[in-house]
Amino acid sequence: MAGLAGLALLSLSRSSYLQHYSHDKTIQFDITLTDGHPDAVENNEVCVGLTKDHSTEMMQNKQQTLLGDDELDVQCQRLVWRADPQGAADCTNLLLTKASSNGNNTLPLHYNICLVSDCLHFQQHHGGLIATLGRLLDVKNGVAILCQPKRGDSQENFINLLEMVNGNTTTANVPGSTTAVAPLFDICLLEHGYDDEVERLHTDFLQKQQQGLSYYEEIR
């Protein structure tokens, strides 16, 4: 399902749950769901509407406060990962669209978090994805979280390419200076133990699969 992580954040942000940890300060959310396929973008737009309606009904039943649309900006945009100048222009347009939709211009131009799910299997697009992340993320505080299943050597090749990009960055000198630039990305790979409950459910699923049982029929 396209945009699932962003939709989950949208559902969470519609409640007053996060306000509890903000010391009574209003938290503004700026969420952009992207996909390269026009049909997926249209699907995301439908899902955003349904998520808003569902979360509104759920929070009202719990008598919790909802964030208003002036505090929550959600967009659905088509974005194709490209490492060429056209890709740079597309990212700039996305950022400018984000900025123009935020009427009070209090949110940063670049993104603090990019969530990427199961997007490493097409290895010919690895370079375009890295370039896109580098263009959209805030340089100082930006974080990209990539959740990927093991698909052959795609993950290993992606990390190798990231390390190559970092190597090229550190050896490239600033024009007119002999000072090396810091690596563009800090890389942290978590293969096990990142979430005990997810690990337990995955292990349970594998055991039932080996026994020839249908996991989904079991929990229905």
Side-chain angles (χ1 to χ4, degrees):
M1 177 180 176
L4 182 58
L7 291 169
L9 180 58
L10 165 61
S11 180
L12 179 62
S13 63
R14 289 283 284 175
S15 74
S16 59
Y17 175 77
L18 292 183
Q19 306 300 326
H20 175 72
Y21 299 96
S22 65
H23 305 290
D24 296 325
K25 294 180 180 179
T26 299
I27 300 177
Q28 289 184 294
F29 287 85
D30 190 358
I31 302 172
T32 304
L33 307 181
T34 67
D35 201 284
H37 198 291
D39 291 346
V41 176
E42 184 176 347
N43 178 70
N44 282 341
E45 291 174 344
V46 173
C47 289
V48 166
L50 293 174
T51 301
K52 281 187 174 182
D53 290 343
H54 175 71
S55 59
T56 298
E57 180 181 356
M58 183 175 62
M59 292 303 107
Q60 287 175 345
N61 291 338
K62 294 182 178 180
Q63 296 183 338
Q64 292 184 344
T65 304
L66 284 168
L67 290 178
D69 288 336
D70 58 333
E71 299 162 347
L72 177 63
D73 183 29
V74 184
Q75 298 183 55
C76 300
Q77 301 287 343
R78 183 170 185 258
L79 182 65
V80 178
W81 306 328
R82 300 176 60 156
D84 59 7
Q86 181 59 53
D90 291 342
C91 288
T92 298
N93 290 334
L94 180 68
L95 292 171
L96 292 175
T97 300
K98 175 175 102 71
S100 63
S101 68
N102 178 27
N104 55 18
N105 294 320
T106 58
L107 294 175
L109 178 61
H110 290 80
Y111 291 93
N112 297 114
I113 300 176
C114 284
L115 303 175
V116 185
S117 179
D118 195 12
C119 292
L120 299 185
H121 45 287
F122 295 122
Q123 299 194 43
Q124 66 270 30
H125 298 305
H126 282 183
L129 175 56
I130 292 173
T132 300
L133 292 174
R135 292 160 178 161
L136 295 181
L137 279 173
D138 180 79
V139 173
K140 184 178 180 180
N141 298 312
V143 176
I145 302 174
L146 289 79
C147 300
Q148 314 299 323
K150 286 280 185 78
R151 295 181 185 273
D153 57 0
S154 62
Q155 178 179 279
E156 180 181 356
N157 290 340
F158 182 78
I159 294 176
N160 289 339
L161 186 57
L162 277 174
E163 292 174 342
M164 288 178 60
V165 170
N166 280 345
N168 291 336
T169 305
T170 55
T171 56
N173 292 329
V174 178
S177 172
T178 58
T179 303
V181 181
L184 184 60
F185 297 100
D186 290 326
I187 305 170
C188 179
L189 178 62
L190 300 176
E191 293 189 278
H192 303 286
Y194 65 93
D195 187 285
D196 293 339
E197 180 63 12
V198 171
E199 289 280 348
R200 185 191 66 78
L201 289 172
H202 181 63
T203 300
D204 188 41
F205 171 79
L206 292 178
Q207 290 176 348
K208 288 182 168 58
Q209 190 178 51
Q210 292 173 356
Q211 296 171 5
L213 301 176
S214 171
Y215 183 78
Y216 298 101
E217 290 179 358
E218 287 272 319
I219 65 174
R220 185 175 300 151

